[in-house]
């Protein structure tokens, strides 16, 4: 079903539709000197390279739709995926795949609405210089009728993922252009998910219409991209009153049940009890179920005696920071910026005394000297890499020489920044934290909400003040220091839970792929040989068996300045728990994990077990 040049009668009919569906005042603005197409009489459009085309309306029945392939989509969403392919709203993938988890680009979203409109126009030029030829007709149409404009003068950013907020605005304007009822009585406020002001009206309208059903059970996530399957479902719901086939589709429903939420009060008391037993001043815990953060708990004080702990407060995550570094490494590997098995001397411009690699640093087998007194700055580390005094014994990469190494992670963070020419905070913000609506940083003074950073306590004494934490600001250049990468990442358990959910979901978060599955597989890869404690070293988590009632758990612990933390997830069930504490005792359980974290994790894992 391709584009077909229309005859004169079809041209007149299409123009009549455009006039009847004329947009509101905001959609009638000129863009780059072009007049809105629907305001032009037929004789003016005829000589300007604009022709009206029609999509063939197939004599389809539901049985025909079932024959359209969408092999990789679950049964729940298959109708919508097949319908979107059948109507040519979205292009097919390869070998019957629909690629439903892949984010939709801004140009792709406009293209889908353009095809859904039923009127296809051909233009001589597009008002945005950065739009590829295949999308120029759609983008020019969207610009002319006010469905979507550019991101700046002359630029559309066609390849950028369309966010939930941006798509809501496009849908709202598209419906107004079609002459639909735009009245909305809904006013939604989302804690921790602030909607951009430009999108508030549109988001409320979309939610009232039920277009985002099943996408917002656990939060709106206004900056999260929209997946291909989500867009197919949204468009089917939008079209159900106009398209008899769309009206017959079986679409995914919302109302996902969280076992943690069902038992929240009971679990809240259990978490508080465990915190008290271990003398904690403050605790946060996040729960992941089936690859999604579903619940959060908090206990005690952010500032003892004066500021109660909340879900939004931010704690130093200590060595959970290494998971954030590992995520950044995998993202840069995915982008082709780093090679896990290349000598890092290439990134530093030196010949290393031993062949140290990113893989060996992630697995604690680099043999780099680990000392609190060793240099963390660029010049000092560069000198360390060149001479024998910077290394211990053994061959890098050999598991026989495994030794937990904080300093190597400082060097790793610097190496990644040098290879990328970017701060790791920026890598994580652009790819993960921003879309997830998470606030975390290796430099606490750079957080979006630094006022939520907590005091750190060693028992009843102060371990580290808020002021000293906020004094850590962005360093002079990427790679200038490795001081913060072993333990300086600061965030809430809720936001750390989002990172754990991404890993538990094999790179997908809330139905959208933010990270390729091979990148997660790389992080989870480990040798067959166990290290101390009978666990297996991954990159950089450990893999343990039989922990807290789970057959397998990937996990990482962290402690510093009186915090005792644990991040873990079950790769088979997609469940996980993140526990951040301050002021608790440092006792360990039978697995060698901090007992306060282990007890809370056991409570929560048992509660969500299916």
């Amino acid at each position: 079903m391709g584009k077909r040049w229309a005859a004169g009668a079809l041209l007149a009919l299409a123009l009549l539709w455009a006039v009847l569906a004329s947009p509101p005042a905001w959609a009638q603005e000129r863009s780059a000197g072009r007049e809105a197409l629907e305001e032009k009489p037929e004789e003016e459009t005829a000589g300007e390279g604009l022709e009206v085309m029609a999509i063939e309306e197939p004599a389809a029945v539901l049985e025909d739709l079932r024959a359209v392939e969408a092999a990789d989509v679950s049964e729940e969403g298959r109708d919508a995926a097949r319908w979107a392919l059948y109507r040519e709203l979205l292009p097919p993938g390869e070998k019957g795949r629909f690629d439903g988890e892949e984010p939709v680009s801004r140009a792709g979203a406009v293209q889908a609405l353009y095809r859904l409109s039923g009127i296809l126009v051909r233009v001589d030029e597009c008002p945005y210089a950065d739009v590829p030829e295949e999308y120029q007709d759609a983008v020019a149409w969207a610009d002319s009728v006010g469905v979507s404009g550019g991101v700046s003068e002359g630029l559309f950013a066609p390849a950028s993922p369309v966010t939930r907020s941006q798509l809501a605005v496009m849908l709202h304007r598209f419906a107004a252009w079609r002459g639909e009822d735009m009245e909305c009585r809904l006013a939604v406020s989302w804690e921790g998910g602030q909607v951009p002001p430009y999108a508030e009206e549109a988001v409320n309208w979309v939610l009232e219409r039920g277009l985002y059903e099943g996408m917002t059970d656990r939060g709106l996530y206004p900056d999260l991209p929209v997946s291909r399957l989500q867009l197919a479902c949204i468009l089917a719901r939008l079209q159900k009153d106009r398209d008899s086939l769309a009206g017959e589709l079986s679409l995914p429903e919302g109302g996902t049940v969280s076992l943690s939420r069902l038992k929240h009060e009971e679990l809240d008391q259990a978490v508080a009890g465990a915190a008290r037993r271990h003398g904690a001043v403050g605790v946060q815990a996040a729960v992941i179920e089936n690859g999604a953060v579903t619940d959060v708990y908090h206990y005690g004080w952010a500032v003892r005696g004066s500021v109660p702990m909340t879900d939004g407060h931010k704690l130093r995550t200590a060595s959970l920071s290494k998971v954030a570094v590992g995520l950044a490494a995998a993202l840069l590997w995915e982008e082709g910026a780093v090679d896990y098995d290349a000598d890092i001397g290439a990134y530093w411009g030196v010949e290393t005394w031993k062949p140290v690699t990113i893989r060996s640093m992630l697995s604690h087998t680099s043999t780099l000297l680990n000392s609190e007194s060793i240099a963390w700055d660029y010049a000092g580390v560069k000198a360390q890499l060149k001479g024998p005094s910077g290394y211990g014994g053994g061959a890098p990469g050999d598991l026989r020489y495994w030794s937990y190494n904080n300093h190597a992670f400082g060097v790793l963070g610097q190496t990644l920044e040098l290879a990328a020419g970017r701060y790791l905070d920026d890598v994580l913000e652009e790819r993960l934290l921003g879309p997830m609506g998470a606030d975390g940083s290796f430099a606490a003074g750079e957080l979006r909400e630094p006022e939520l950073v907590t005091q750190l306590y060693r028992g009843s004494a102060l371990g580290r003040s808020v002021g000293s934490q906020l004094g850590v600001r962005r360093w002079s250049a990427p790679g200038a220091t490795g001081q913060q990468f072993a333990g300086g990442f600061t965030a809430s358990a809720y936001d750390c839970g989002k990172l754990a959910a991404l890993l538990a979901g094999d790179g997908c978060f809330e139905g959208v792929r933010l990270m390729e599955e091979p990148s997660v597989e790389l992080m989870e890869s480990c040798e067959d040989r166990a290290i101390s404690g009978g666990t297996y070293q991954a990159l950089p988590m450990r893999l343990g068996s039989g922990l807290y009632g789970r057959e397998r758990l990937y996990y990482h612990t962290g402690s510093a300045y009186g915090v005792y933390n644990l991040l873990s997830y079950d790769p088979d069930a997609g469940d996980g728990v993140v526990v951040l504490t301050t002021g608790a005792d440092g006792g360990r359980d039978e697995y060698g994990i901090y007992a306060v974290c282990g007890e809370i994790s056991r409570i929560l894992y048992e509660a969500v077990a299916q």
Side-chain angles (χ1 to χ4, degrees):
M1 175 172 62
K3 295 182 179 179
R4 175 182 291 179
W5 297 111
L10 180 57
L11 175 62
L13 178 60
L15 289 171
L16 176 61
W17 182 11
V19 170
L20 292 175
S22 60
W26 49 259
Q28 298 178 17
E29 296 178 357
R30 306 297 190 263
S31 175
R34 296 179 70 246
E35 294 185 350
L37 175 62
E38 70 275 21
E39 294 182 332
K40 295 184 179 183
E42 181 177 346
E43 59 270 21
E44 290 184 22
T45 64
E48 296 184 8
L50 295 174
E51 296 190 50
V52 179
M53 298 172 286
I55 300 176
E56 287 186 21
E57 185 64 26
V61 292
L62 205 57
E63 287 72 19
D64 294 331
L65 184 67
R66 303 291 186 227
V68 179
E69 288 192 279
D72 59 323
V73 178
S74 67
E75 191 63 41
E76 186 182 31
R78 198 163 295 163
D79 271 6
R82 287 168 168 165
W83 174 79
L85 292 173
Y86 192 62
R87 296 299 196 206
E88 289 194 341
L89 306 181
L90 293 168
E94 296 181 0
K95 298 180 180 179
R97 292 182 60 85
F98 182 70
D99 297 328
E101 299 165 341
E102 294 299 320
V104 178
S105 68
R106 283 170 47 82
V110 165
Q111 181 89 291
L113 290 172
Y114 171 61
R115 291 183 175 278
L116 192 65
S117 73
I119 301 178
L120 303 186
V121 295
R122 193 64 171 267
V123 299
D124 285 335
E125 61 179 339
C126 177
Y128 302 103
D130 60 339
V131 177
E133 184 177 359
E134 64 182 301
Y135 295 113
Q136 287 182 2
D137 292 350
V139 171
W141 165 83
D143 179 74
S144 71
V145 301
V147 166
S148 179
V151 297
S152 62
E153 187 65 32
L155 296 176
F156 189 78
S160 296
V162 67
T163 68
R164 291 180 174 186
S165 292
Q166 292 170 349
L167 182 64
V169 172
M170 292 181 187
L171 294 167
H172 189 245
R173 292 178 175 182
F174 179 78
W177 175 77
R178 293 207 302 192
E180 296 186 12
D181 179 11
M182 305 310 295
E183 183 181 358
C184 179
R185 294 165 293 280
L186 192 66
V188 177
S189 176
W190 294 88
E191 183 180 353
Q194 183 64 41
V195 178
Y198 75 86
E200 287 180 356
E201 180 183 1
V203 166
N204 283 328
W205 178 84
V206 162
L207 294 177
E208 186 175 69
R209 288 284 301 270
L211 300 183
Y212 282 7
E213 185 175 355
M215 292 169 54
T216 57
D217 292 341
R218 294 171 291 269
L220 180 60
Y221 296 110
D223 294 324
L224 191 66
V226 176
S227 75
R228 281 168 52 88
L229 180 57
Q230 288 169 347
L231 180 60
C233 294
I234 289 165
L235 296 181
R237 293 187 183 103
L238 181 69
Q239 197 71 359
K240 67 180 181 179
D241 295 331
R242 292 173 172 259
D243 184 327
S244 59
L245 184 56
E248 295 293 326
L249 300 181
S250 174
L251 300 176
E253 298 180 356
T256 303
V257 175
S258 161
L259 295 177
S260 177
R261 287 186 180 181
L262 288 175
K263 309 170 188 175
H264 184 89
E265 290 187 14
E266 172 191 341
L267 293 174
D268 189 51
Q269 293 177 10
V271 168
R276 285 192 292 268
R277 280 190 290 278
H278 292 279
V281 174
V283 168
Q284 292 180 341
V287 180
I288 297 101
E289 297 175 73
N290 194 28
V293 183
T294 56
D295 211 354
V296 192
Y297 300 87
H298 60 265
Y299 162 85
W301 303 96
V303 178
R304 182 193 287 273
S306 61
V307 181
M309 181 70 76
T310 68
D311 298 338
H313 275 100
K314 304 176 193 307
L315 287 78
R316 185 181 177 96
T317 68
S319 282
L320 303 194
S321 303
K322 295 178 175 67
V323 178
V325 173
L327 279 164
L331 292 171
L332 291 174
W333 173 81
E334 189 175 291
E335 295 173 7
V338 297
D339 181 341
Y340 269 43
D341 298 306
D343 191 315
I344 64 170
Y347 305 116
W348 287 83
V350 300
E351 184 176 344
T352 59
W353 193 72
K354 285 186 180 182
V356 176
T357 66
I358 290 172
R359 188 184 300 273
S360 69
M361 290 188 286
L362 283 166
S363 62
H364 298 287
T365 60
S366 67
T367 74
L368 286 168
L369 191 64
N370 185 32
S371 168
E372 291 296 325
S373 61
I374 202 168
W376 295 92
D377 65 289
Y378 172 80
V381 171
K382 192 170 185 177
Q384 176 196 0
L385 293 174
K386 293 191 291 185
S389 62
Y391 298 81
D398 190 329
L399 202 59
R400 291 176 297 176
Y401 303 105
W402 180 94
S403 180
Y404 190 81
N405 196 321
N406 280 319
H407 190 260
F409 264 80
V411 177
L412 172 58
Q414 288 175 282
T415 302
L416 296 173
E417 289 195 338
L418 291 171
R422 297 147 66 195
Y423 294 100
L424 290 199
D425 272 350
D426 290 342
V427 173
L428 292 172
E429 176 69 22
E430 291 163 13
R431 292 288 304 274
L432 302 180
L433 299 179
M436 291 175 167
D439 187 16
S441 177
F442 290 103
E446 305 292 341
L447 288 162
R448 292 194 295 271
E449 297 180 294
E451 68 277 6
L452 293 178
V453 172
T454 69
Q455 302 272 38
L456 304 181
Y457 295 93
R458 294 183 187 272
S460 59
L462 184 64
R464 192 168 186 188
S465 69
V466 170
S468 66
Q469 294 176 75
L470 295 183
V472 180
R473 305 302 298 265
R474 178 166 286 191
W475 29 100
S476 58
T481 179
Q483 187 75 46
Q484 298 302 310
F485 297 119
F489 191 73
T490 301
S492 66
Y494 178 40
D495 286 342
C496 289
K498 296 173 184 177
L499 299 179
L502 178 80
L503 292 169
D506 294 326
C508 287
F509 181 76
E510 291 293 323
V512 185
R513 181 159 296 286
L514 299 182
M515 186 175 183
E516 295 303 319
E517 191 168 355
S519 303
V520 178
E521 291 174 355
L522 179 63
M523 291 186 67
E524 293 179 345
S525 62
C526 50
E527 293 187 25
D528 293 337
R529 185 170 39 178
I531 58 173
S532 59
T535 59
Y536 297 83
Q537 180 65 58
L539 306 177
M541 298 86 65
R542 292 193 193 185
L543 175 62
S545 301
L547 279 67
Y548 312 126
R550 298 297 172 126
E551 183 176 344
R552 298 194 306 155
L553 278 185
Y554 282 98
Y555 72 94
H556 210 295
T557 59
S559 66
Y561 304 105
V563 303
Y564 296 104
N565 303 329
L566 173 63
L567 178 153
S568 63
Y569 67 93
D570 179 338
D572 304 311
D575 300 336
V577 177
V578 176
V579 182
L580 305 182
T581 75
T582 179
D585 62 55
R588 294 177 182 265
D589 63 16
E590 66 269 34
Y591 306 114
I593 292 171
Y594 305 116
V596 61
C597 301
E599 185 173 343
I600 292 171
S601 295
R602 184 187 299 277
I603 290 167
L604 297 176
Y605 274 121
E606 289 178 353
V608 301
Q610 296 289 347

